[in-house]
Every structure is written in C-alpha cells, then in structure tokens.
C-alpha cells in the first residue's frame, strides 16, 4: 500500500508541475529522481536507471520520430499532404472523413508499430484539419484509436505475439478474434468518442504548416503522393509477409531489413526528397531547410518523450510490477477478468504497455492450464488491459499531448479516455466471445 501511495503522490506532483507550466521535460526528471529514491533504489543504481530509461526510449523512438517528421515535412511542403487530403475528402466527403481516417489508421496500424504509425499519419491529420477547418481531435482520435487498437489486439505487434507464445495460443485464431473485437472498439473509441470532444480545439502548433516561400505551385499527383506517404507501411507489410512465408535466404533477409521501421522510413524519406523535391525542381538548399525545420519542430517533443521513458524505467526497476503481481495472486475472480485487471494495474503503475504485457504473462500464464480458459481469449484480455488508463508515465501520452498542443486536462479527457474506452470495450468483447465461442 505504501508503494502505491508513493506512486500516486509522484503522479499528482507531475500533473501539478505541468499544470503550473513547468516544462514536462524538466518536471518528469525532477519527479522521477525522488520517486526512485522513495521506492528504495540506491543513488548509484538510480543513475544507471536514468541512463537505461534514456537509452531504451531513444533506441526505440529517436530515429523513427525524426525520420517521420522529415517525411511529413516533405509531404507538407511539396503539397503531397494537401493532395492526399483533397483526394480523401473527394472520395469520402467531409461528413465521412473520420471513417476515412479510421480506415487509414487501421490499415497502417496492422503492420506498423504505434509510434511509427503515429508519426507517419500526424502530417495528414494536420493537413486535413487545416483543409476542412474541423477540430483537430475530431480527426486525430479516430486515427490514433485505430493505431492503438491494432497495437494491443493484433499480431504481428510485439505484445500479442509475446502472449501467443507464452500461452500456447493459435496465432490465426487470435488474429480472427482480435479483428472481431477491434471493429467495435475502434468505432466506439474513435468517431463516436471524438464527437464529444469537439469543444477541445487548441490552436494548431507550427508543425507541417505549409510552404515557407509562397505558393508551392502545381500539386503532385495523387498516386505519387499516396505511394510515398504509405511507402513505409508497404515496406513493413512486405517484410511481415516475407517473415511468415519465405524460407531462410537472401531474399527474406533483404526484405526483413528493408521492412525495419527505421530503414523503411529512411528509404521513404529519400524517395520523398527525390520525387517530391528534386524531380519537381526544388534545390538541395531548400530541401535542407525543410529537413532542419522538421528536426527543430520535434526536438522538444523528443526530449519530453525521453524524460517520460526515465519516469517509466524508475517504476520498472523499483519492482512495482512484482508488487502488483504478488497482490494480484491473492485475488479470486474469473480468469479472463483477473488477467485484464492485473494487466491494467501494471499498465497504470508502470506506464509501458509492453512491460505490462510481459509481466502479466508471467502472472496469469498458469491460469491457462489450470482453468482451461481459451488461450486466445487470454491473449486478448491481457492486450485489452495493457492500454487502460494511459497517463503521465507513458511516453505516448506526452507524444499525443505535445503534437496536438493540448493541456494536461485536455489530454486526460481525450487520450486517456480513448485508451481506457478501447480497454473496457475490449474486455467486454472478450467476455462476450467467451460466452459464445
């Protein structure tokens, strides 16, 4: 109980400092250090924890975020993002643009990790917001809800794959059940929820906001614009297929390499510079200005996300997961509900969805054999719990907040509610499938 009170006090202090306009980058570090000491981490070990938190966060995000921002900037400056927005509006109509973004987010989210998919689609959201004049969250929530839903429910994302292996579940059946659950989850947490957030309409930040030097001239073609914008997704999708279909060999190795998110984004950025820059008469000096503007625009965001990684690592290294696991072991409840609740507690306390999944796999894994519960539904119950209650110890919380220029209260009302809605709808879907499957 003391551990939980310490963590709750640290979270409350973080919220207070951010609300008082202290930079989240500084406040996260200021709170993480005394939190680690209060949780019993020795000072010399705390320094190592900070280094680990920085390294693990940057290793997974830095190049993806930077390259994604550069790609988005090229798409915006060249007019490709505007062409995509115009084409989508023409195909679906402004009234149905949320469903267009939901479908786009779902297709992007199946092969792509959440962070990479988020960065790739953010420029499109900004472009559509400026083009239509609609509130930014009306467009952002359906897109991000799709990405988050695919991340927690559907293989080949790391969480579901880890759980499939841990519980001995069937991958195909897990994917089928996950798709059945994902449809209502993303529909409720996306277009339906976003309609209640129309009043949250912050000024758009100075990101992906059009050409620097007057009119850009004729827009690029729709096919070229879509292909370059979605080229990271295509490369990663091909690598996923190759991983499951092709035998060991040079072709499979090459496709897996090209489908690495960092490599895919780098190649896509180079293609964008060539086809949307050089081939359209944009000089190297101007393209360099695009690159510098993109990096400058996301530098602070990257630092804030990194500090969030430090906060998360302090919780992981302090043994909070083990504390919750021991507490959860004393509860008596239906195995699927128990799995969801234990994972949700881990997620709220630790922050990392993946860490919560891995820890929960060890806690609830024995229930698969002892209770006879469906291993596929157990995978989805843990996956649903892993997105519950995202808040200040989750780097994705800060990514969403900073990119869309939201206050803390607005981020809790939108992002946290969206993630919790996906989680609760997912739990309901699991329990319903358990009755009929």
């Amino acid at each position: 109980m003391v551990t939980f009170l310490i963590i709750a006090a640290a979270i409350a202090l973080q919220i207070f400092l951010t609300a008082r306009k202290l930079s989240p980058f500084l406040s996260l570090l200021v709170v993480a250090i005394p939190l680690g000491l209060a949780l019993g981490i020795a000072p010399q070990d705390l320094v190592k924890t900070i280094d680990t938190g920085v390294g693990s966060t940057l290793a997974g995000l830095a190049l993806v975020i930077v390259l994604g921002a550069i790609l988005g900037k090229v798409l915006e400056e060249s007019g490709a993002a505007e062409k995509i927005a115009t084409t989508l509006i023409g195909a679906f109509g402004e009234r149905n643009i949320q469903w267009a973004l939901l479908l786009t987010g779902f297709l992007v989210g199946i092969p792509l990790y959440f962070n990479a998919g988020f960065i790739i689609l953010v420029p499109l959201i900004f472009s559509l917001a400026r083009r239509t004049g609609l509130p930014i969250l009306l467009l952002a929530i359906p897109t991000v809800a799709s990405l988050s839903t695919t991340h927690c429910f559907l293989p080949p994302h790391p969480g579901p794959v880890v759980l499939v292996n841990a519980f001995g579940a069937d991958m195909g059946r897990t994917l089928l059940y996950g798709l059945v659950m994902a449809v209502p989850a993303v529909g409720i947490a996306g277009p339906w929820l976003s309609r209640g957030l129309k009043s949250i309409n912050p000024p758009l930040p100075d990101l992906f906001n059009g050409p620097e030097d007057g009119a850009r001239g004729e827009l690029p073609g729709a096919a070229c614009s879509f292909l370059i914008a979605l080229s990271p997704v295509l490369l990663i999708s091909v690598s996923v297929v190759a991983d499951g279909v092709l035998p060991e060999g040079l072709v499979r190795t090459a496709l897996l390499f090209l489908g690495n998110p960092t490599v895919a984004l780098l190649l896509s950025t180079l293609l964008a510079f060539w086809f949307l820059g050089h081939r359209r008469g944009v000089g190297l000096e101007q393209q360099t200005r695009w690159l510098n503007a993109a990096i400058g625009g996301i530098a602070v965001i990257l630092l804030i996300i990194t500090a969030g990684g430090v906060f998360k690592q302090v919780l992981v290294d302090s043994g909070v997961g083990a504390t919750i696991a021991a507490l959860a072991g004393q509860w008596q409840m239906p195995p699927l509900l128990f799995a969801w609740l234990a994972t949700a507690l881990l997620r709220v306390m630790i922050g990392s969805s993946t860490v919560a999944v891995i820890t929960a796999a060890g806690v609830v894994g024995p229930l698969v054999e002892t209770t006879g519960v469906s291993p596929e539904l157990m995978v989805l119950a843990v996956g649903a719990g892993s997105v519950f209650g995202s808040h200040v110890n989750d780097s994705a919380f800060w990514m969403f907040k900073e990119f869309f220029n939201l206050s803390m209260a607005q981020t809790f009302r939108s992002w946290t509610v969206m993630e919790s809605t996906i989680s609760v709808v997912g739990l309901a879907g699991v329990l319903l499938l358990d009755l009929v499957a």
Side-chain angles (χ1 to χ4, degrees):
M1 182 59 69
V2 174
T3 298
F4 295 155
L5 290 176
I6 292 172
I7 295 172
I11 293 171
L13 178 59
Q14 173 61 45
I15 296 170
F16 171 77
L17 292 175
T18 305
R20 299 287 296 194
K21 306 303 182 183
L22 180 64
S23 166
F25 170 65
L26 287 177
S27 61
L28 280 164
L29 294 177
V30 167
V31 173
I33 292 173
L35 172 63
L37 296 173
L39 291 175
I41 300 178
Q44 64 272 20
D45 293 331
L46 183 57
V47 175
K48 295 178 183 177
T49 292
I50 293 172
D51 289 341
T52 300
V54 171
S56 62
T57 303
L58 288 177
L61 287 177
L63 288 177
V64 168
I65 288 179
V66 170
L67 289 169
I70 296 170
L71 177 60
K73 188 67 172 178
V74 176
L75 291 170
E76 185 62 49
E77 293 288 350
S78 66
E82 183 178 340
K83 186 66 176 181
I84 292 171
T86 303
T87 304
L88 282 174
I89 293 171
F92 284 84
E94 187 172 317
R95 288 188 59 187
N96 297 316
I97 197 64
Q98 287 183 299
W99 296 101
L101 285 169
L102 183 150
L103 179 60
T104 302
F106 201 84
L107 293 175
V108 168
I110 289 175
L112 209 60
Y113 291 170
F114 176 87
N115 295 322
F118 181 92
I119 295 300
I120 288 170
L121 292 179
V122 159
L124 176 60
I125 296 171
F126 276 77
S127 179
L128 286 170
R130 292 189 174 97
R131 170 85 177 174
T132 63
L134 293 171
I136 188 69
L137 290 188
L138 203 64
L139 305 176
I141 290 293
T143 312
V144 179
S146 292
L147 293 173
S148 183
T149 301
T150 56
H151 176 77
C152 68
F153 291 145
L154 304 182
H157 286 278
V161 169
V162 166
L163 294 171
V164 164
N165 292 332
F167 299 156
D170 179 82
M171 184 75 76
R173 188 175 298 171
T174 302
L175 180 60
L176 178 61
Y177 286 171
L179 287 170
V180 170
M181 287 172 46
V183 172
V186 77
I188 294 172
W192 183 81
L193 176 65
S194 66
R195 294 189 188 114
L197 302 172
K198 289 187 289 187
S199 60
I200 303 177
N201 192 26
L204 297 181
D206 190 23
L207 291 171
F208 317 118
N209 60 349
E212 299 168 346
D213 302 319
R216 58 168 63 93
E218 185 180 353
L219 298 179
C224 178
S225 300
F226 273 100
L227 280 174
I228 291 178
L230 296 178
S231 55
V233 182
L234 297 175
L235 287 170
I236 293 171
S237 299
V238 170
S239 74
V240 170
V241 173
D243 188 34
V245 174
L246 294 182
E248 293 289 342
L250 182 60
V251 174
R252 181 176 184 272
T253 301
L255 291 177
L256 291 179
F257 174 75
L258 294 176
N260 175 274
T262 301
V263 176
L265 277 166
L266 175 59
L267 290 175
S268 301
T269 300
L270 294 175
L271 288 173
F273 274 126
W274 178 260
F275 286 102
L276 300 177
H278 177 76
R279 291 285 296 273
R280 303 184 74 242
V282 179
L284 187 59
E285 183 179 350
Q286 177 67 18
Q287 293 184 48
T288 301
R289 286 202 292 268
W290 292 354
L291 183 147
N292 292 337
I295 295 174
I298 53 89
V300 173
I301 295 174
L302 188 59
L303 288 173
I304 291 171
I305 293 168
T306 303
V310 172
F311 193 105
K312 178 264 298 181
Q313 194 65 41
V314 166
L315 294 173
V316 172
D317 289 356
S318 67
V320 170
T323 302
I324 294 175
L327 179 64
Q330 302 172 9
W331 301 340
Q332 298 293 326
M333 62 180 63
L336 292 174
L337 180 60
F338 172 83
W340 178 88
L341 186 57
T343 311
L345 276 174
L346 287 164
R347 158 71 162 184
V348 170
M349 291 297 176
I350 294 175
S352 168
S353 172
T354 302
V355 173
V357 162
I358 293 171
T359 307
V363 174
V364 304
L367 294 178
V368 176
E369 294 183 2
T370 58
T371 65
V373 68
S374 164
E376 293 79 21
L377 293 181
M378 185 65 86
V379 169
L380 297 175
V382 172
S386 72
V387 293
F388 182 83
S390 171
H391 59 92
V392 298
N393 60 357
D394 181 10
S395 59
F397 175 94
W398 295 101
M399 191 185 304
F400 187 86
K401 175 186 181 300
E402 296 301 319
F403 266 104
F404 295 117
N405 198 27
L406 301 172
S407 68
M408 288 290 288
Q410 290 170 336
T411 311
F412 278 112
R413 287 173 55 196
S414 55
W415 168 263
T416 304
V417 171
M418 180 204 76
E419 289 281 86
S420 299
T421 300
I422 293 171
S423 181
V424 173
V425 173
L427 172 63
V430 166
L431 297 178
L432 183 60
L433 282 172
D434 187 44
L435 292 176
V436 302

